[in-house]
Amino acid sequence: LPNNNGNTLKKIKVNLEQKSYPILIGEGSLSRLYELIGRQNQNKKILAVIDGNVERIHGKLITKALKKFKNNIDYYILKPGERSKSFKELNKIYSYLIDKKFGRDSLLIALGGGVTGDLAGYAASTFMRGIPLIHIPTTLLAAVDSSIGGKTGINFESKKNMIGTFCQPELVLIDTAFLQTLPKAEIKSGLGEVIKYAYMSDRKYYAFVEKNLEKIFQKDLRITEEIIIKSASIKAGVVAHDEKESGLRKILNLGHTFAHAFESELNFKIKHGEAVTAGIIASLYLANKIGILSLKNLNEFLRLPLKANLSDKFFMLNKQNIFELMQSDKKARSGKTKFVLVSNIGKILLDVEAERKEIFFALEMMQRAAAKS
Ligand SMILES: NC(=O)c1ccc[n+]([C@@H]2O[C@H](COP(=O)([O-])OP(=O)(O)OC[C@H]3O[C@@H](n4cnc5c(N)ncnc54)[C@H](O)[C@@H]3O)[C@@H](O)[C@H]2O)c1
């Protein structure tokens, strides 16, 4: 698919029978949305839910790129930040849709990071029992992870993602031009998930990520595109095998059992991807401690996440609180925490149980490593 600049859009298919959809990746691809959504969608009434910062920075470019939709498109600007994943904001979107007479034949577009995608996705999957959805992720984290796989949701009181659905989009369109305006902290956050995919992949790709870490921070377009394509392909493959997380999809939770507890303990004053990086470090130590990862591999595999430079917030975490939080995680079964652990690159073990003292050891080592990094 050539785009406006003559470049080719890369295509990855998420294979889910009748629910299959493409992920299209390329700089400047937003301006081709009209053609890409197909005849059946071109005359629909559309609501684009847009992250406030994205609108502020890219608003003019977005309206210009979407001018082919003429008066069929409305814009709902979302206040940036995790707090927008709430019932209050959801109600505002429903009211907007009802006031403006959106019906079942309308289309919702989520244009922003994971917050916009999760909230707009939940709205799309529940409004009038479900209307079609398109994701246009604008953060690295959303491009490599949250826009793919159909998880939607909002937070309930202080509990993250407690209310949600599985709702596969019709299309994920990744215009890499958006990523150029991301603050460094957001790149660092997306990197947590990128690193996760590197362990799930093979040695060649793992070495590629390690070698190009600095270029990812510099937002080098070619490298960024490569890591998005690779990450999205891995996620698409996993989701195609296990849409609703009954087995294989758990592999995507590498580092996340620890990460979710870190986020709760720090009152979500830490970015998700950064918590994942710290979670991966703790998981590597845990894997070594329980004997599934050699010392040589441990030292080698720690290099990549440690280069991502952890925030000092991690070495103040209270280990007992983290331990208890992990036991009450919604993925824990009857009080037993199950971990996803790396035993080698491309070799990930699911549902691994660990003793309290092993978990404490892994946390302690992660904290020491964080303090030194
Ligand atoms: N559904 C899933 O499978 C899944 C997976 C992982 C994470 N998540 C969720 O995703 C959310 C985190 O997503 P996120 O990290 O994208 O956060 P986010 O949506 O809050 O975006 C991060 C920040 O970047 C800004 N921003 C977005 N695009 C920008 C751009 N192009 N230029 C400049 N600034 C920009 C936003 O305004 C915000 O301040 C969490 O709520 C998490 O629970 C969902």
Side-chain angles (χ1 to χ4, degrees):
L1 290 168
N3 76 4
N4 284 356
N5 319 324
N7 298 329
T8 312
L9 291 189
K10 307 291 184 315
K11 181 175 176 177
I12 296 162
K13 191 174 171 201
V14 185
N15 268 315
L16 286 165
E17 291 168 9
Q18 323 87 296
K19 287 187 279 174
S20 297
Y21 54 96
I23 303 167
L24 299 176
I25 304 155
E27 190 190 6
S29 53
L30 180 70
S31 57
R32 294 198 48 200
L33 185 68
Y34 187 76
E35 304 139 57
L36 295 171
I37 62 172
R39 281 258 175 83
Q40 77 281 13
N41 283 321
Q42 283 169 349
N43 294 317
K44 280 188 175 154
K45 217 168 142 54
I46 299 173
L47 181 66
V49 178
I50 307 184
D51 174 279
N53 284 328
V54 174
E55 197 274 338
R56 181 174 52 76
I57 305 170
H58 299 279
K60 280 198 185 128
L61 192 140
I62 293 169
T63 38
K64 190 166 164 238
L66 303 184
K67 65 177 185 296
K68 280 194 186 151
F69 290 100
K70 299 190 183 132
N71 293 331
N72 285 344
I73 192 159
D74 256 300
Y75 298 97
Y76 181 96
I77 311 302
L78 195 65
K79 195 167 168 222
E82 185 69 32
R83 288 173 72 96
S84 283
K85 269 174 62 173
S86 63
F87 273 120
K88 197 170 152 212
E89 204 56 47
L90 182 70
N91 280 349
K92 287 206 300 204
I93 296 179
Y94 291 146
S95 300
Y96 193 94
L97 287 164
I98 293 164
D99 288 350
K100 300 258 178 177
K101 308 211 165 9
F102 278 80
R104 291 209 67 181
D105 58 344
S106 32
L107 170 70
L108 217 140
I109 298 178
L111 219 163
V115 164
T116 310
D118 279 10
L119 174 73
Y122 186 77
S125 76
T126 48
F127 183 68
M128 295 199 171
R129 299 203 175 85
I131 58 172
L133 165 73
I134 289 177
H135 278 300
I136 305 181
T138 64
T139 63
L140 181 60
L141 184 127
V144 299
D145 194 12
S146 65
S147 66
I148 305 161
K151 283 190 182 176
T152 81
I154 57 171
N155 303 326
F156 183 76
E157 293 165 0
S158 64
K159 298 259 184 245
K160 278 262 294 183
N161 302 331
M162 265 293 145
I163 315 291
T165 59
F166 281 98
C167 165
Q168 300 297 340
E170 298 226 325
L171 164 70
V172 178
L173 183 69
I174 305 178
D175 184 338
T176 41
F178 280 115
L179 307 187
Q180 292 299 318
T181 59
L182 277 179
K184 193 171 176 188
E186 299 303 336
I187 300 281
K188 197 169 162 182
S189 176
L191 205 58
E193 303 290 356
V194 170
I195 291 174
K196 174 187 84 179
Y197 294 119
Y199 293 102
M200 291 164 60
S201 175
D202 51 46
R203 288 228 168 229
K204 191 165 163 237
Y205 179 66
Y206 183 88
F208 175 84
V209 176
E210 193 175 359
K211 179 166 162 256
N212 289 296
L213 213 59
E214 198 41 49
K215 289 203 171 141
I216 299 173
F217 275 117
Q218 288 160 4
K219 301 174 223 179
D220 177 290
L221 209 60
R222 190 182 66 82
I223 302 289
T224 306
E225 234 178 69
E226 278 211 39
I227 57 161
I228 291 175
I229 292 167
K230 186 72 177 184
S231 305
S233 309
I234 296 175
K235 179 139 188 195
V238 171
V239 169
H241 277 93
D242 175 20
E243 185 190 357
K244 305 228 163 121
E245 202 167 307
S246 44
L248 180 71
R249 191 169 173 162
K250 290 183 198 166
I251 201 173
L252 298 169
N253 291 328
L254 173 62
H256 283 61
T257 310
F258 283 111
H260 290 147
F262 299 160
E263 286 179 283
S264 291
E265 176 69 358
L266 293 167
N267 270 322
F268 299 98
K269 291 196 176 71
I270 194 84
K271 301 217 178 290
H272 175 70
E274 205 184 347
V276 171
T277 305
I280 287 173
I281 296 174
S283 317
L284 290 171
Y285 279 114
L286 184 61
N288 173 253
K289 187 75 182 164
I290 64 177
I292 60 170
L293 175 68
S294 72
L295 186 62
K296 179 177 166 285
N297 282 345
L298 170 70
N299 290 326
E300 189 190 335
F301 298 169
L302 280 170
R303 266 203 328 258
L304 176 57
L306 285 175
K307 274 190 195 160
N309 217 340
L310 288 181
S311 129
D312 54 11
K313 290 191 177 120
F314 292 105
F315 56 80
M316 279 139 30
L317 290 167
N318 177 302
K319 292 187 238 338
Q320 181 61 29
N321 290 355
I322 299 294
F323 181 74
E324 282 168 20
L325 279 163
M326 289 198 296
Q327 283 184 311
S328 61
D329 187 281
K330 67 177 184 294
K331 281 165 185 140
R333 298 272 177 275
S334 54
K336 279 264 182 212
T337 313
K338 308 255 182 164
F339 295 90
V340 179
L341 298 178
V342 176
S343 89
N344 212 327
I345 306 289
K347 199 155 180 237
I348 313 290
L349 305 183
L350 306 180
D351 293 329
V352 184
E353 287 180 16
E355 301 291 328
R356 183 179 185 279
K357 63 175 188 306
E358 294 161 338
I359 296 170
F360 269 61
F361 173 83
L363 285 168
E364 173 66 29
M365 295 308 282
M366 181 280 289
Q367 291 182 315
R368 285 193 206 171
K372 273 195 264 164
S373 75

